Amino acid sequence: MRFETALKSGTIVSFAGGALEGTGRVEFAARDGGHWLLVTDRTPMHPLSLRWPDQPADHGAVTFADGVTAPVTDVLTGMADPATGTLLTAEDARVVRRGETDWRAVAVHVVATDRDLAPYLGTEAKIAVDGERRLALSAPHTAVHLAALALNRAAERFWTKDFADRDGLGRPNLDKAAVERSDIAPGVSVDVYRIGKSLRKKGFDRDGFLAALDAVAADVNETVRNWLAAGAAVAMTPPEGDLDGLRQWRCELDGMAAIIPCGGTHMQDIARIGAVDVTLEPSEDGFTMTTRTVPAP
């Protein structure tokens, strides 16, 4: 969808630092069917990413200066052109070529209300995140990063050539090379991997790996359990910044700093995840990894 606005800058977000509430100035409001689309200059809410839409958006509520509160049922990533004020959402935003103009990413809150929100333009609003949903999505997102690193470790023996791209723990990065899609839902992440001809030419023993998939899964689970038992802090940097800025996940594992580019939300310590169960299943052109989490009591 396309809207004409007065937007001149992107949204400052604080979800990476774990924020569950914040304030923002209302900069855009438009009715869209049975709900309103609302853009504020700042928000603690995590929107669905255009780059890697693995983690669903936060839910919550927005409270305006006069005390009126309305639920936020979704948060989208929109693209705004400061030169023209044009705001694109949904598929129109996804196909933007950022090099063609100075597009800025904005968080577009989907607000379920019949009230006219246009009069709130220019006013401050309080934005609160549904903490239970955030936790239910953060736990599997953190867990799947651990599972990916453990997968790289378990798969190392199946490389017959030296693979130059290595993860933060120094192992061939099968996860980065083969992952095609990741879908996160409360308590679970499903990651789809493709092992194609190019990867096999680079020295990965596809047949041997798939034949040993149960043993690999057992190795992955043992490694993740050991990491959870030891505990380790998780940091997202920067904790606050432009929505379209690059962020990194960092965790000290086995005495080394594992760093993964990531735009989602996470637990502050892996010990808070509770239990993790990883299963690996073969597919037509690779395998699927399912990572389930059980919250700590």
Side-chain angles (χ1 to χ4, degrees), residues 164-181:
D165 189 0
R166 299 190 170 249
D167 65 22
L169 302 183
R171 296 183 172 86
N173 201 338
L174 175 65
D175 172 71
K176 179 181 176 182
V179 69
E180 285 203 320
R181 190 179 76 249

Side-chain angles (χ1 to χ4, degrees), residues 53-75:
D54 55 345
Q55 181 176 332
D58 282 330
H59 293 176
V62 57
T63 301
F64 299 98
D66 58 2
V68 170
T69 297
V72 176
T73 58
D74 201 359
V75 190

Side-chain angles (χ1 to χ4, degrees), residues 61 65 88 100 124 129 145-146 150 199 230 233 242 249 257 279 287 289:
L88 303 178
E100 293 181 352
E124 294 288 320
V129 177
H145 283 345
L146 298 177
L199 202 56
D242 291 334
W249 178 92
T279 58
F287 65 99
M289 180 171 73

Side-chain angles (χ1 to χ4, degrees), residues 234-278:
V234 173
M236 286 290 293
T237 56
E240 182 174 302
D242 291 334
L243 175 56
D244 54 4
L246 298 178
R247 281 170 279 278
Q248 292 182 324
W249 178 92
R250 179 188 177 104
C251 186
E252 298 283 337
L253 301 168
D254 298 335
M256 292 175 282
I259 300 174
I260 298 175
C262 183
T265 66
H266 291 277
M267 310 295 287
Q268 293 183 330
D269 194 299
I270 63 175
R272 293 187 56 204
I273 296 174
V276 173
D277 178 68
V278 179

Side-chain angles (χ1 to χ4, degrees), residues 129-260:
V129 177
D130 179 339
E132 290 187 5
R133 176 178 171 84
R134 167 74 68 82
L135 178 63
L137 294 171
S138 296
H141 203 155
T142 303
V144 79
H145 283 345
L146 298 177
L149 292 166
L151 173 68
N152 291 343
R153 176 176 179 173
E156 186 173 18
R157 66 183 184 271
F158 297 98
W159 290 93
T160 61
K161 299 178 183 178
D162 184 29
F163 189 62
D165 189 0
R166 299 190 170 249
D167 65 22
L169 302 183
R171 296 183 172 86
N173 201 338
L174 175 65
D175 172 71
K176 179 181 176 182
V179 69
E180 285 203 320
R181 190 179 76 249
S182 181
D183 296 302
I184 298 172
V188 63
S189 177
V190 178
D191 292 73
V192 177
Y193 295 84
R194 182 178 182 274
I195 306 176
K197 290 182 180 179
S198 63
L199 202 56
R200 297 198 295 273
K201 288 181 179 179
K202 292 176 181 177
F204 189 72
D205 180 6
R206 175 187 187 274
D207 294 339
F209 174 82
L210 293 178
L213 210 54
D214 288 344
V216 171
D219 288 348
V220 170
N221 278 296
E222 181 179 7
T223 298
V224 173
R225 280 195 297 268
N226 290 338
W227 285 338
L228 294 179
V234 173
M236 286 290 293
T237 56
E240 182 174 302
D242 291 334
L243 175 56
D244 54 4
L246 298 178
R247 281 170 279 278
Q248 292 182 324
W249 178 92
R250 179 188 177 104
C251 186
E252 298 283 337
L253 301 168
D254 298 335
M256 292 175 282
I259 300 174
I260 298 175

Side-chain angles (χ1 to χ4, degrees), residues 19-88:
L20 293 174
E21 58 182 22
T23 59
R25 184 178 64 253
V26 178
E27 298 194 323
F28 169 76
R31 191 184 296 277
D32 179 28
H35 52 259
W36 280 76
L37 302 180
L38 193 77
V39 175
T40 54
D41 65 337
R42 310 175 70 89
T43 185
M45 289 197 170
H46 172 265
L48 182 68
S49 173
L50 295 175
R51 292 175 177 169
W52 188 251
D54 55 345
Q55 181 176 332
D58 282 330
H59 293 176
V62 57
T63 301
F64 299 98
D66 58 2
V68 170
T69 297
V72 176
T73 58
D74 201 359
V75 190
L76 312 173
T77 296
M79 298 301 297
D81 182 354
T84 64
T86 299
L87 170 65
L88 303 178

